[in-house]
Amino acid sequence: MVKIGILNLQGAVSEHYDMTKNAVKNLGLNIDVESVRYSEDVKTCDGIIISGGESTVIGKLIQKRGIDTVIKEKNIPVFGTCAGMVLLGKKTDLDQPLIGLMDITVKRNTYGRQKDSFEAPIKIFGQNYSGVFIRAPAIESYDKTKDNIEVLAEYDGEIIAIKQEHNIAISFHPELTDDTLIHEYFIKEVLNKN
Ligand code: GLN
C-alpha cells in the first residue's frame, strides 16, 4: 500500500498527520499515513511531509539519522511547510544542515518573528486559501534555468509556494486550517510518481 510518512522530529507533526488522514479520506483512497522518526521508517514511505518548527533542529536530526540520504537515494517526494520549506532548499541566509532537494534559496523569517504572525488570503491552484504565516520563510531566488520548477503562489511580492518535480515547498501552515487542498495535491503527486 502507498504510504505517506509524517516526519516526527520536532514541530507541528500531529496537525499534519490529521490533515493527511483527512486528505486521504476526501480523495476516497486507501493510503497509509504514518508518523516516522528514523531512516529505516522513512525508507518504506512513498512520500514524506516535513512540518513547520525549527529548521536548524530538524535539519541536524535529519542529517544525524541519515534521513536525507535515504530520501535522495530513493527519490522520495517531499512536501515541506515553513521549516520544511527551509530544509528543502539548497541554501538559506544562515549556515545550517539542509536536505537541498530543490534549486531554491530560502530567506528564513522573511515575515518577522512570532509576534508578527498573521493569516492572509492567498491564491493557490486557482483557488482561495487561507495562509497562516508563523515566522515564515520565503523564496529569495530559484534556478530559472531549470524547467522543472514552477512557482505555485505569491504573496505581497514574495514567492510563498514552489514546486520542483514531485517536491513542494510552501511558506505557510496548511495544517492549521481545515482545507486539505494542498495535502490532496501532494498525495496526487506521490501517486503520479509511483
Ligand atoms: N523560521 C523558522 C525556521 O526557519 C520556521 C518557522 C515555522 O516553521 N513556523 O526554522
Side-chain angles (χ1 to χ4, degrees), residues 52-56 81-83 86 108-109 134-135 137 173:
E54 180 50 53
S55 60
T56 311
T81 65
C82 205
V86 174
R108 290 178 72 175
N109 303 336
I134 305 169
R135 225 153 61 88
H173 288 263

